[in-house]
Structure formats: structure tokens, C-alpha cells
Amino acid sequence: MEILGIDIGGSGIKGAPVEISTGTLLTERHRIATPEGAKPADVAQVLKKMVKYFAWQGPIGCCFPAAIQQGVARTAANVDKSWIGTNAEKLFAEATGCPVRVINDADAAGLAEMRFGAGKGIRGVVLIVTVGTGLGTALFTDGILVPNTELGHIEMNGRDAELQASDAARKREDLSWETWARRFDQYLRTMKALLWPDLIILGGGVSKKLDKFIHYLTVDVPLVPAATLNNAGIIGAALAAESL
Ligand code: BGC
């Protein structure tokens, strides 16, 4: 079954048709810059262009960096606050004329990893942590997703963990890999103490640079990089639309 997967991010909106039985992209992915401010109506127009580009008629799965409940965005940590309360599924379906499912971006990356990547066939508790502009989490138990965990926003040292341990924090504060890794390690150790995961999968930009910081991590949980990397969001979003 072919589904158009679209990953809506802070700087780019990327899409490609996905064969969901294999998790393969059927064409090169297409990227359109995220409109300034990333307001709902403007993002919907980009989705319309994406559908036109692929001459797409059929189901669409999108992922977005917010908690999404029955298609409605409930949070907006790094996106325009007007998303809160917006029914993204309805908005995108009206703009594209196609049935649309919208889920959280870390959950999408997690679905792709559990089906085709580093979590394939793994039972028990698996935590996916995506490290980029935000700190995203996806939690699975025996392969089943508990959606919208938003564990990047736990309190650490009296502040939102994401503000201290995301890749954006590393860049913003010009941290050495060691300084950043010690913060991230504290975050992962907290996750271990609260969730007791059997495996942690690291996604997002930093998972490609593991050699720069893995030696600073002391957390006592098997930790592996995501295997689907750049396309995890697209693939996982498409998987989420399987039931449309
Ligand atoms: C958001 C999450 C998102 C994560 C990664 C966080 O700021 O609250 O919904 O999954 O960033 O993009």
C-alpha cells in the first residue's frame, strides 16, 4: 500500500510516497521550506503544493512537533502558538482533498524504527529519543506505542529538560560535545530511573554524530542510533495513515 508521508519540521517540510509494507520511499523526497512563522494556514498551503508535486490522490500521513490528539494539536513548544487547538487533520484534508492522519513527530520516528529499524522485533520497553530543535520521545511496550509522551519537557535542574539537552541548546550555548553530553546523560539517566527501558534508540540529527559523545554517556541501558535516520518521520507518518 502506498501512502504519502510528510514530515513537517521547523525549517523544512519533506515528503515522499512510501510503500508501507517495506518502508521504502518510492521516489526522491521533496522538500519545501517551512513558511516564516509556520502558521497553520501557510503550512496547509505547502501541503497542497506537495500533493500537486506528486500528483497525489490517496491517503496522507503527516508528522508534526506537537502532542496530537485525534488530529488536534495540543501543544506548541517550538511552533506558532496558534497551533494549539487547531484540528490539523481537518485543515490538511480540506487543503489537499485527501484523507489525512497527523501524529507527533517523535512518535512517527518511533513507529518507523520499531517496524523497520533499530527496534524491529524488540519486545519490552523501548524509548526513542529524538534530539534536534526539540527533545522528542516515543515510548513502546511490546511494540505498542503510548502516544504523545512529551518526556522532553520533564523538569531537570528546575527547568524544562529540552532547554538544556536538545541539539538547539548545544548550538545556542555553543557547548562542547562533552558539556552537552553530560547534560544529555543526566536526562537519559532520569529516563532510566522513571521508565526502566530495555533499549533506548537515539534519533534526530545527533544520532549521526554518536562518535562525538557516546563515550561520555554513563547511562546503563543499551543505546543504539536510529537506523531510518533522515526519513524516519516520513516513513512513520505514512505508517500511521495505514488505517485511513
Ligand atoms: C515537542 C514534541 C516534539 C519534540 C521533537 C518538542 O518540543 O513538544 O511534541 O516531538 O519537540 O520535535
Side-chain angles (χ1 to χ4, degrees):
M1 184 182 186
E2 295 175 15
I3 294 178
L4 180 61
I6 301 180
D7 181 351
I8 303 170
S11 56
I13 298 178
K14 294 147 277 179
V18 179
E19 171 48 59
I20 59 162
S21 61
T22 55
T24 39
L25 268 48
L26 295 165
T27 66
E28 284 282 292
R29 60 186 203 166
H30 182 57
R31 183 185 189 277
I32 301 175
T34 305
E36 188 69 35
K39 297 227 168 33
D42 298 338
V43 171
Q45 284 313 304
V46 172
L47 261 60
K48 193 173 173 180
K49 278 192 206 156
M50 190 70 81
V51 163
K52 202 164 166 208
Y53 176 86
F54 287 111
W56 187 256
Q57 286 175 317
I60 300 176
C62 295
C63 68
F64 187 75
I68 308 284
Q69 238 180 351
Q70 281 89 43
V72 179
R74 297 295 186 194
T75 63
N78 293 303
V79 292
D80 193 78
K81 300 294 174 226
S82 63
W83 281 99
I84 298 175
T86 296
N87 189 326
E89 283 182 356
K90 193 162 167 265
L91 178 71
F92 297 162
E94 278 165 10
T96 60
C98 298
V100 180
R101 168 102 342 117
V102 182
I103 65 162
N104 170 262
D105 59 350
D107 284 351
L111 288 175
E113 279 302 307
M114 295 305 287
R115 184 84 68 96
F116 304 112
K120 191 174 168 190
I122 309 273
R123 297 185 68 79
V125 175
V126 180
L127 178 70
I128 285 96
V129 181
T130 65
V131 187
T133 307
L135 205 52
T137 57
L139 186 65
F140 290 81
T141 173
D142 288 344
I144 308 284
L145 172 69
V146 180
N148 294 316
T149 42
E150 293 291 328
L151 294 168
H153 297 295
I154 59 152
E155 192 179 308
M156 187 169 89
N157 310 317
R159 293 169 63 217
D160 188 332
E162 173 174 290
L163 298 176
Q164 303 164 70
S166 65
D167 202 33
R170 184 183 65 81
K171 291 178 183 155
R172 191 173 56 238
E173 296 181 46
D174 198 16
L175 302 176
S176 67
W177 280 104
E178 180 175 358
T179 307
W180 173 81
R182 300 230 181 272
R183 293 184 183 183
F184 188 51
D185 190 44
Q186 184 191 355
Y187 175 73
L188 294 179
R189 291 172 71 101
T190 309
M191 287 297 105
K192 180 193 170 181
L194 296 174
L195 302 169
W196 292 89
D198 297 293
L199 175 71
I200 296 177
I201 301 176
L202 276 193
V206 302
S207 60
K208 288 180 246 171
K209 300 174 192 155
L210 220 59
D211 55 317
K212 296 204 188 291
F213 64 86
I214 187 114
H215 42 285
Y216 298 120
L217 301 182
T218 64
V219 63
D220 182 18
V221 178
L223 188 137
V224 292
T228 50
L229 291 178
N230 288 345
N231 295 325
I234 295 176
I235 298 167
L239 285 175
E242 197 172 0
S243 58
L244 276 178

